[in-house]
Amino acid sequence: PAVRSIQQHRNTTQSPTNKLVCDARRTFTDMFTANQNIALREHKRRVVGFVESTIPGEALDMGVMVLVMEVSCRAPGCVPLETVITIVFPRGQSDELIPGLPESGSGGNYKTKILMPLASVTKDDVLDALPPEFEGGRRTMESLCLRARDVMLSQINQIMGEEDVEGKRLMAEYLETCLKDYKERNCVAPEIGEPFPPLPSDDDTKNKE
């Protein structure tokens, strides 16, 4: 009760100047949020245009839709903000609207993402995220492997430093073992920060049978 009385007293005795300051701060915050939303919508339209330029006009006329959104990721090693692209194909098509892309003939969705904020995405980034079935698309298994390699090696350099050659060698050997464990476990990763669980032995398999 005493705390409530003090708060009520403060509210009733708030000076006009303080009230004006609070109102000005609230107005500024609302304007800043509105400007952010406007900028985000503009970036969405820009990226949607990049994607649509890789899709045949006939397919767009038949109802192909492009959805773009910015999402956050808090998992370790994940970029804070990434751009997710979903291309929605209409149902009832007997032929593939984009030759070689199964999703385009079955009313499915093609999804891809770009590991950067929406505001930073360029036309080249979109082309790198789309397979060659899209006009100008450059996403292939080779390009994905090269990107994964470059990210991994860059992380090793950042963690160990340029001069610590022995440390980088030891980390590379450890990661080599981890990749082997990963493959042996049907490409299922362990819990973050935890070792790989042991593989079931032949005796365990026989006992289950």
Side-chain angles (χ1 to χ4, degrees):
V3 174
R4 187 180 302 112
S5 298
I6 294 172
Q7 184 62 46
Q8 289 174 348
H9 176 71
R10 287 177 177 173
N11 292 339
T12 57
T13 58
Q14 185 180 30
S15 68
T17 301
N18 288 341
K19 186 175 186 305
L20 288 174
V21 171
C22 291
D23 291 343
R25 287 175 177 173
R26 189 178 300 110
T27 300
F28 176 78
T29 300
D30 292 342
M31 290 177 59
F32 182 75
T33 302
N35 289 336
Q36 278 186 316
N37 292 336
I38 291 172
L40 189 63
R41 288 198 298 271
E42 290 176 350
H43 290 309
K44 283 185 178 181
R45 286 193 290 268
R46 178 175 57 83
V47 175
V48 166
F50 292 156
V51 178
E52 288 183 343
S53 69
T54 70
I55 301 173
E58 298 82 359
L60 293 172
D61 293 340
M62 296 183 72
V64 175
M65 295 188 300
V66 178
L67 307 177
V68 174
M69 64 186 301
E70 184 179 78
V71 299
S72 60
C73 179
R74 297 182 180 180
C78 188
V79 296
L81 291 173
E82 59 188 31
T83 300
V84 177
I85 299 171
T86 304
I87 303 170
V88 183
F89 294 95
R91 297 182 180 276
Q93 304 299 320
S94 57
D95 299 322
E96 295 176 346
L97 296 180
I98 297 182
L101 192 72
E103 296 90 339
S104 69
S106 58
N109 300 336
Y110 180 83
K111 297 182 180 181
T112 187
K113 62 182 178 180
I114 301 172
L115 303 181
M116 62 178 63
L118 194 56
S120 303
V121 175
T122 66
K123 177 67 175 292
D124 279 338
D125 296 323
V126 169
L127 295 180
D128 288 338
L130 295 173
E133 286 77 13
F134 293 88
E135 184 177 347
R138 301 190 287 249
R139 178 188 173 101
T140 63
M141 179 54 69
E142 181 181 5
S143 68
L144 293 175
C145 290
L146 287 173
R147 187 183 309 169
R149 180 204 67 182
D150 293 344
V151 169
M152 181 177 64
L153 296 181
S154 176
Q155 287 289 316
I156 293 175
N157 280 333
Q158 290 181 28
I159 293 172
M160 303 307 300
E162 292 288 342
E163 304 300 326
D164 190 356
V165 177
E166 179 63 15
K168 290 190 289 186
R169 185 185 65 79
L170 291 173
M171 183 171 287
E173 291 176 354
Y174 173 77
L175 292 174
E176 184 179 11
T177 301
C178 287
L179 289 174
K180 180 181 177 182
D181 291 339
Y182 180 66
K183 290 194 301 180
E184 289 176 346
R185 288 159 178 78
N186 201 28
C187 297
V188 176
E191 293 293 328
I192 294 175
E194 298 295 327
F196 281 95
L199 287 170
S201 64
D202 293 337
D203 292 337
D204 293 337
T205 305
K206 291 178 182 178
N207 290 335
K208 289 182 180 181
E209 294 176 352

